[in-house]
Amino acid sequence: MACPEALIDHKLLTNKTFSFPLEEKSWREFAYFSANVCHIFGPKNFKDAFSLFERAIVFSQIQSTHHFQKEQEIELGPRGAGQDPELFVTFHYGKYRMLPLLLITSGRSVAVVISEEVYEKYSRFYSGWMQTDNGGPRLFLERAENPFLGLRIRGHLERGVDIFVYADGNSGSKGSIVPDGLRDQQLLMGSIGIRSGFMELAHLLSIRTRFVLETSASLDAEPYLQVIERFDPKEFRDRSDFVDTSIRRIYARFSEYLKDSPVNWESLFYLHQSRPILSDKNIWSPEHRVMPLYFPNILDRFSYRVHQVDSQTHIGLCKLLLD
């Protein structure tokens, strides 16, 4: 692929070079996306990384406009008489926003924990499901940053409402029942910073947990909720055993799906924001580490550090790495 001369001239990238225009903000987004990809899947050249970026953009745009059909059903079904509500754990993978709605159509009310940043957007998206006239199943939204989140979750559970969380959410409750800091977790070739407070809370409140993913065969197919793993706190020795084993199993099983369909994981766009991803420095060659940004900046994709270079060096790197 030819070196984008528009980038060298510090102007907008045009579709004469790529399949869609990239302004400076979008190019920077690609640079960090490619860094995340290289840490998790192994270093990739510009052409391969950009191809993944294009396909991920298309997938994200199409899945976000998917229209849900209320008559859909899932095999999970409603809880039986006397069964306690459960915790559902997933990732921002596939048509992930459809999963809570699939639970509702199975006869379950569900409380979805999301970050403050997307609360208003999700409120609009789920508005038709957050109010019911017939007392049927409904959807609730809870802010992940709420210092009283643990108490809110306890209240939902007492009313028979299932809890739905994203394992790759980058927000945590400040001052809730369980402290929720970052911990290291291996994911394919990289080590990412994750939150495990949702599993700590599951053990504290003795909530059965299901790890689920949206695994429909294509963007055109109707969403499908697949139960990947089940965890019951009563079947583990103690809190540490439950949390460590369940987290390890969740990420191990997720990696099986991720390596086959990386573009389905939306978090590749922003995974570095909570903590830079780590991987083996020895597998990174110099040409894999450097990604030109708009002049005078370049990104070291291994360390996520931005450096400034002179014009001649910047142009030379563009020609060397993007040609």
Side-chain angles (χ1 to χ4, degrees):
M1 183 176 291
C3 179
E5 295 182 358
L7 175 63
I8 295 174
D9 293 337
H10 321 134
K11 300 175 183 177
L12 299 184
L13 295 171
T14 71
N15 54 15
K16 293 180 181 178
T17 306
F18 301 117
S19 60
F20 57 87
L22 282 182
E23 299 179 353
E24 183 172 4
K25 180 181 178 181
S26 297
W27 179 260
R28 188 179 185 89
E29 183 179 48
F30 158 66
Y32 282 96
F33 172 93
S34 70
N36 295 340
V37 165
C38 289
H39 276 288
I40 293 174
F41 301 97
K44 297 183 180 299
N45 60 33
F46 167 71
K47 184 176 180 180
D48 291 341
F50 197 85
S51 175
L52 277 176
F53 180 71
E54 287 184 303
R55 289 187 287 137
I57 288 285
V58 171
F59 185 94
S60 178
Q61 290 175 341
I62 294 178
Q63 73 86 13
S64 67
T65 60
H66 185 87
H67 295 288
F68 185 77
Q69 303 298 321
K70 291 192 177 183
E71 63 270 16
Q72 289 178 247
E73 297 181 356
I74 59 176
E75 297 179 1
L76 189 63
R79 288 192 306 275
Q83 287 187 338
D84 294 327
E86 298 174 288
L87 172 67
F88 289 85
V89 179
T90 193
F91 289 81
H92 293 87
Y93 180 88
K95 306 182 190 78
Y96 60 86
R97 291 190 299 178
M98 300 294 107
L99 295 182
L101 303 185
L102 289 172
L103 291 174
I104 290 178
T105 62
S106 74
R108 297 165 174 256
S109 289
V110 59
V112 183
V113 180
I114 56 174
S115 69
E116 177 71 38
E117 183 181 359
V118 298
Y119 187 90
E120 293 302 323
K121 180 174 69 174
Y122 276 59
S123 294
R124 293 190 297 270
F125 181 81
Y126 290 126
S127 60
W129 300 85
M130 296 175 68
Q131 299 178 359
T132 58
D133 298 327
N134 58 4
R138 61 172 293 188
L139 185 142
F140 302 87
L141 292 180
E142 294 293 345
R143 293 174 171 86
E145 298 85 354
N146 186 347
F148 302 104
L149 177 62
L151 298 178
R152 298 279 300 176
I153 288 177
R154 190 195 295 270
H156 284 303
L157 293 171
E158 290 174 350
R159 293 188 294 273
V161 178
D162 289 319
I163 309 301
F164 190 94
V165 302
Y166 292 98
D168 53 346
N170 60 6
S171 297
S173 175
K174 299 176 176 63
S176 67
I177 294 178
V178 175
D180 191 15
L182 291 177
R183 58 187 280 170
D184 292 333
Q185 176 60 48
Q186 191 70 25
L187 181 63
L188 297 177
M189 299 182 69
S191 175
I192 64 176
I194 69 164
R195 298 189 182 277
S196 60
F198 56 93
M199 297 307 292
E200 301 269 2
L201 191 61
H203 184 271
L204 179 65
L205 301 180
S206 193
I207 315 170
R208 289 181 304 162
T209 301
R210 299 184 195 237
F211 169 42
V212 300
L213 284 176
E214 196 291 305
T215 59
S216 54
S218 68
L219 277 170
D220 297 330
E222 291 300 329
Y224 180 74
L225 183 153
Q226 182 169 347
V227 178
I228 311 297
E229 291 266 3
R230 296 174 174 83
F231 306 99
D232 187 340
K234 297 177 182 178
E235 298 175 356
F236 293 80
R237 294 192 308 272
D238 51 29
R239 177 197 59 81
S240 179
D241 184 34
F242 172 72
V243 173
D244 292 346
T245 302
S246 59
I247 289 292
R248 183 175 66 252
R249 289 297 302 158
I250 285 171
Y251 277 87
R253 294 303 306 277
F254 177 56
S255 67
E256 297 172 9
Y257 291 85
L258 181 61
K259 63 186 178 183
D260 291 333
S261 302
V263 300
N264 291 15
W265 193 26
E266 186 177 274
S267 291
L268 284 173
F269 289 104
Y270 48 79
L271 194 60
H272 60 283
Q273 293 177 2
S274 56
R275 196 207 73 180
I277 307 172
L278 307 175
S279 61
D280 184 359
K281 186 176 181 179
N282 294 324
I283 67 175
W284 289 75
S285 63
E287 59 266 27
H288 285 137
R289 290 186 60 158
V290 178
M291 175 60 66
L293 302 173
Y294 272 50
F295 181 78
N297 299 317
I298 61 171
L299 173 69
D300 180 349
R301 294 193 293 181
F302 174 76
S303 68
Y304 292 90
R305 293 173 181 167
V306 175
H307 305 276
Q308 294 188 342
V309 296
D310 58 61
S311 178
Q312 184 175 358
T313 301
H314 190 268
I315 292 175
L317 287 172
C318 285
K319 290 181 176 178
L320 175 65
L321 299 173
L322 310 182
D323 194 353

